[in-house]
Every structure is written in C-alpha cells, then in structure tokens.
Amino acid sequence: QKEVEQNSGPLSVPEGAIASLNCTYSDRGSQSFFWYRQYSGKSPELIMFIYSNGDKEDGRFTAQLNKASQYVSLLIRDSQPSDSATYLCAVDRGGADGLTFGKGTHLIIQP
Amino acid sequence: ETGVTQSPTHLIKTRGQQVTLRCSSQSGHNTVSWYQQALGQGPQFIFQYYREEENGRGNFPPRFSGLQFPNYSSELNVNALELDDSALYLCASSLDRDDWQFFGPGTRLTVL
C-alpha cells in the first residue's frame, strides 16, 4: 500500500525564520512530488513540484528530494504570518493512480 | 484562482439518498480527477477521467461513479449515501493525464 507520511504538527515558527516541512513516502516507483498549501476551509493550492534528486528553489520556497531515502522536504524562508496553513505532500508514480497525499502538516507562523 | 469551478458549494443530504457534484475544468485541460477529503485528512483519489473515459480509479466502491462530457466538464455521482461520505469533494483539472493538477474550490457534502 502506498503511503505518504507527514508530521501533523502543529509546527510553530517565528516570523522571519525558516520553516522546514518533511515528508516520507513508501512507493519507490514514485516519480513526481508536489507540495500543496491549504488554508482552512479552502482547497489545496499547488506551490512546488520536483522530479529529480536535489534542490529546487522558487522565491522563498525550496523543495528538496532524496529518492534513495524516500524523503521530500519543503523549506520556507523568511516565514510570514500568511504562510500559516496546512501543507500537503503528494506523490505520483505516473499512470492512472492519481496523487497520493499525506495528512498534511499544520504550520503556524508566530508574529 | 485556478479557473476550475465546482457546484454546488455546499450540500446536505440524508443517508440513502443520491447526489451529483459538478466540475468545470480549466480551459484547455482534458483531464479531471476527483478526490475526497475527510476532516483532518489528506485528499484521497476517487477516479480520473481523460477525454471522456475513466482513466484510473482509487479504492472507492462502485456506488461512486462519474462522467466526463465532450467539453471536459465532469460529474461525480454517489448513490446510497452513507454518513462516512461526509467530506470535501475536490475536482482537479490538468492539461493532460500526467500533468500538474489544479484544484477547484470543492463541494462540502454533509450526510445526516
């Protein structure tokens, strides 16, 4: 059974600091990795994707992938109160299985 | 905004009833995926439609069924509603089968 594990939190980070969110997955056939942000009562919003081992940076966000360790992370630099949300990690092995999501990590940025 | 729309926003049904949820995909997108998100959980894949054909299905019973129309909009039908069907139902649109998925605002279904 494919699983994606995330620490549910809440993860509390001071404003301006770096928030680090982690995710592990069980399916070694996973090919694509995504981070979605979900505000309370809203739908998930795609913020980062990564396909290859290493780091990928986009503005204040950096996604990191280590396929050997089956580990994905998201770093948020200069955290803002507006970053407070639940962050969902999702993996895709391709084909017709859809995305497999973790339960999400609740991030709180303290002003 | 992703350009994906869903209707209705909220819905209340009683156990045993049937429900139809609707989704309009983003312009140019030919693939629609449906997910169920229970409170405090991540979304779970129900099924995917590609060019009007079911392209894949998650671990949901046959009473969950769907359609995709020639304009690539889609419907999710749930028969014989159960209390555990209460959830946020999300539609995600993508340019093609293996492309990034963009979610609509969701439909909140409550089964009493």
Side-chain angles (χ1 to χ4, degrees):
Chain A
Q1 181 161 349
K2 296 175 287 183
E3 291 184 350
V4 176
E5 300 288 340
Q6 295 182 255
N7 187 325
S8 61
L11 174 64
S12 187
V13 173
E15 183 175 357
I18 296 175
S20 177
L21 305 163
N22 305 315
C23 168
T24 58
Y25 60 95
S26 63
D27 184 2
R28 286 198 172 271
S30 300
Q31 298 179 6
S32 308
F33 306 86
F34 304 88
W35 284 99
Y36 284 83
R37 177 175 63 198
Q38 187 172 27
Y39 292 114
S40 181
K42 301 295 186 182
S43 64
E45 173 193 6
L46 180 63
I47 55 171
M48 286 290 287
F49 62 90
I50 187 167
Y51 303 137
S52 305
N53 278 329
D55 293 2
K56 179 181 178 182
E57 187 174 319
D58 184 2
R60 296 187 297 113
F61 299 99
T62 299
Q64 299 175 317
L65 174 61
N66 184 325
K67 289 187 178 180
S69 300
Q70 296 175 245
Y71 178 90
V72 194
S73 66
L74 178 70
L75 301 178
I76 306 175
R77 289 181 299 281
D78 187 24
S79 297
Q80 303 296 310
S82 59
D83 294 326
S84 297
T86 295
Y87 288 80
L88 296 162
C89 173
V91 306
D92 186 5
R93 66 172 294 130
D97 294 339
L99 297 175
T100 301
F101 283 85
K103 292 183 178 181
T105 297
H106 183 204
L107 175 66
I108 299 171
I109 305 301
Q110 294 180 323
Chain B
E1 296 294 323
T2 61
V4 182
T5 61
Q6 291 186 244
S7 63
T9 306
H10 296 89
L11 202 51
I12 299 175
K13 291 286 189 179
T14 55
R15 196 170 44 183
Q17 285 189 311
Q18 177 265 342
V19 70
T20 298
L21 309 181
R22 295 178 175 84
C23 170
S24 291
S25 58
Q26 189 170 327
S27 178
H29 287 194
N30 61 26
T31 303
V32 171
S33 304
W34 286 92
Y35 293 82
Q36 179 196 67
Q37 187 176 24
L39 203 59
Q41 304 294 314
Q44 281 199 295
F45 176 63
I46 302 175
F47 42 57
Q48 182 184 81
Y49 277 83
Y50 168 70
R51 294 185 180 275
E52 302 180 61
E53 298 284 335
E54 185 177 293
N55 186 54
R57 189 178 183 91
N59 189 25
F60 279 81
R63 60 189 185 83
F64 286 77
S65 63
L67 281 174
Q68 188 178 33
F69 300 99
N71 66 355
Y72 302 135
S73 65
S74 178
E75 285 183 356
L76 164 66
N77 299 290
V78 187
N79 292 322
L81 283 167
E82 300 176 0
L83 297 180
D84 284 350
D85 295 334
S86 296
L88 179 67
Y89 287 84
L90 296 160
C91 161
S93 151
S94 49
L95 195 61
D96 211 319
R97 284 172 292 186
D98 292 325
D99 218 323
W100 312 328
Q101 297 187 21
F102 298 94
F103 285 90
T107 294
R108 173 74 60 185
L109 173 65
T110 301
V111 182
L112 302 176

